[in-house]
Amino acid sequence: MSSNFLNPVNTQTWANGRHVVRCVKVIQETWDVRTFCFMADQPVMFFFKPGQFVTLELEIDGQPVMRSYTISSSPSVPYSFSITIKRVPGGRVSNWLHETLHEGQELAVHGPVGLFNAIDYPSQKVLYLSGGVGITPVMSMARWFYDTNANVDMVFVHSARSPKDVIYQRELEQMAARIPNFALHIICEKHGLGEPWAGYRGYLNRPMLELMAPDFLDREVFCCGPTPYMTAVKRLLEQVGFDMSRYHEESFGATPADARADAVEQAEQAAEAPEVPASDLHQVEFVDTGKSIRVSPGETVHAAAAKLGLTIPKACGMGICGTCKVLKLSGEVEMDHNGGITEDDEAEGYILACCSVPRGDVRIEY
Ligand code: FES
């Protein structure tokens, strides 16, 4: 890399949208978890709020696939960003990424977005609770506070299946060894024969939590992991009277693996919808393609496009990821999003097609 690459004058700052990035490093974290690091060919400062995620635009077996992953690196290392992915048995996307994504390969990402982040819920005392590969967003937060010498007291409690599954173990231990305001506790569900483990065993429970963070009721809690893990954590906290307005969790919901199949499915569902009086129908026009359609109340702009055979890229389907962002040229929509669009984008007329319902006739640039 030339020094000119890092010249601030030539450097752009990352903003929510579509970007082409290049995989520059693949790190084997554990036996089934890898970190993929990305940079842009033109210098870009990858600023984001620690805890946010990106959506990868992939093509697997000739099919478009969008999949969201939390950024595991910290914006304190801004010229690149990383995602950490566990290979899931039978998981089409994670296996494809492990087998195919290599150094030098380019791909498009959308983002960064996400409400689950360290910046929007500031606190001087935090408790990170993670299970398995759910460690990634809280690792990003911990790295950020560590690198920026923030006056934030962190207790990091990570649950792994077994000692060989602990992601980032050495880095976490190093952080805990170097600064007083970072306490680390690792819980292993079990350990194999001949596998030494002197730490906590089993599942996180109230006595463990009281030992690890006696003041946990005073902390802002960030939780990420498999759904049963998060359900159990939530129940534990509710039972002890924790103020749940200070509990934050990462929940992606179902992420459709195949944007095209999803569009077809929506179109089919729409075809079965009951008749609606013509006066209640709204016209949705896609200006670039010259196609338009009348939609029933409650139908989204994305569904309207799908009926016309137009595939607006989509990942989360719930207004989180920002993948389906399109420009609205005229008309009104009701957008029920979950943080997948910035106020600036909204002010410029952008909407998220997956969660925007026309209130009247609308014209879309697509
Ligand atoms: S698909 Fe994620 S915001 Fe619409």
Side-chain angles (χ1 to χ4, degrees):
M1 187 194 307
S2 72
S3 58
N4 195 37
F5 185 90
L6 301 179
N7 183 341
V9 177
N10 299 333
T11 303
Q12 304 166 18
T13 302
W14 204 18
N16 184 13
R18 183 181 186 276
H19 311 267
V20 174
V21 293
R22 189 163 36 87
C23 177
V24 289
K25 205 172 2 177
V26 180
I27 301 166
Q28 191 80 37
E29 301 282 4
T30 69
W31 66 281
D32 64 349
V33 174
R34 280 186 188 166
T35 291
F36 300 91
C37 309
F38 299 95
M39 290 179 87
D41 279 334
Q42 292 303 312
V44 173
M45 300 281 268
F46 291 102
F47 286 130
F48 56 92
K49 296 176 181 175
Q52 288 192 306
F53 63 91
V54 287
T55 300
L56 310 188
E57 193 180 306
L58 307 168
E59 194 179 310
I60 302 179
D61 302 331
Q63 301 276 314
V65 177
M66 311 287 291
R67 190 52 63 91
S68 300
Y69 291 100
T70 310
I71 305 169
S72 51
S73 57
S74 158
S76 46
V77 182
Y79 283 101
S80 66
F81 72 93
S82 308
I83 55 176
T84 300
I85 297 172
K86 179 185 165 78
R87 190 172 187 136
V88 181
R92 187 163 71 119
V93 181
S94 66
N95 279 287
W96 185 89
L97 288 166
H98 272 243
E99 279 157 23
T100 320
L101 188 54
H102 55 81
E103 281 175 31
Q105 195 171 333
E106 287 197 336
L107 54 82
V109 298
H110 298 255
V113 288
L115 297 174
F116 180 79
N117 67 72
I119 305 299
D120 290 338
Y121 303 105
S123 175
Q124 294 207 311
K125 286 174 94 176
V126 295
L127 170 60
Y128 297 133
L129 299 174
S130 61
V133 77
I135 195 172
T136 53
V138 289
M139 188 63 184
S140 176
M141 296 178 191
R143 283 170 164 161
W144 167 252
F145 288 133
Y146 177 88
D147 288 348
T148 56
N149 301 308
N151 186 20
V152 174
D153 188 273
M154 297 178 267
V155 176
F156 198 110
V157 178
H158 178 62
S159 298
R161 188 151 290 172
S162 75
K164 71 175 189 322
D165 295 301
V166 181
I167 308 168
Y168 314 130
Q169 184 172 359
R170 273 179 258 171
E171 183 180 345
L172 287 165
E173 285 169 352
Q174 203 219 11
M175 285 158 74
R178 291 179 66 116
I179 57 170
N181 54 343
F182 184 85
L184 172 66
H185 303 280
I186 297 174
I187 308 165
C188 283
E189 193 184 316
K190 56 178 188 225
H191 63 102
L193 268 184
E195 211 179 10
W197 182 248
Y200 290 94
R201 257 185 298 163
Y203 297 103
L204 176 67
N205 56 30
R206 183 174 173 177
M208 272 189 209
L209 195 53
E210 282 169 348
L211 276 175
M212 295 165 174
D215 59 351
F216 71 92
L217 289 174
D218 303 332
R219 292 177 179 267
E220 198 82 19
V221 174
F222 294 86
C223 178
C224 185
T227 307
Y229 170 83
M230 292 198 294
T231 308
V233 166
K234 224 162 143 178
R235 197 175 313 129
L236 193 166
L237 292 174
E238 278 166 355
Q239 278 169 357
V240 295
F242 186 79
D243 170 7
M244 295 308 279
S245 68
R246 306 189 68 204
Y247 169 86
H248 314 283
E249 67 177 24
E250 175 67 296
S251 65
F252 267 53
T255 309
D258 182 340
R260 189 177 302 276
D262 194 48
V264 170
E265 190 181 277
Q266 280 198 15
E268 282 169 356
Q269 280 169 6
E272 291 164 10
E275 290 258 317
V276 178
S279 56
D280 288 349
L281 298 177
H282 301 311
Q283 175 93 3
V284 183
E285 182 183 348
F286 296 93
V287 176
D288 294 355
T289 43
K291 295 188 172 181
S292 63
I293 189 167
R294 297 184 84 76
V295 296
S296 307
E299 273 187 84
T300 63
V301 171
H302 194 280
K307 277 184 173 177
L308 291 166
L310 301 175
T311 307
I312 298 177
K314 177 177 155 188
C316 68
M318 53 201 294
I320 297 177
C321 71
T323 307
C324 61
K325 190 175 80 173
V326 288
L327 183 63
K328 174 172 64 67
L329 300 170
S330 64
E332 288 297 316
V333 297
E334 189 158 336
M335 181 164 51
D336 187 15
H337 71 86
N338 285 300
I341 189 163
T342 63
E343 284 176 9
D344 288 351
D345 278 348
E346 274 192 74
E348 283 175 33
Y350 286 97
I351 60 165
L352 298 177
C354 75
C355 55
S356 293
V357 172
R359 278 212 200 121
D361 294 351
V362 293
R363 290 168 65 245
I364 305 291
E365 188 183 83
Y366 197 79

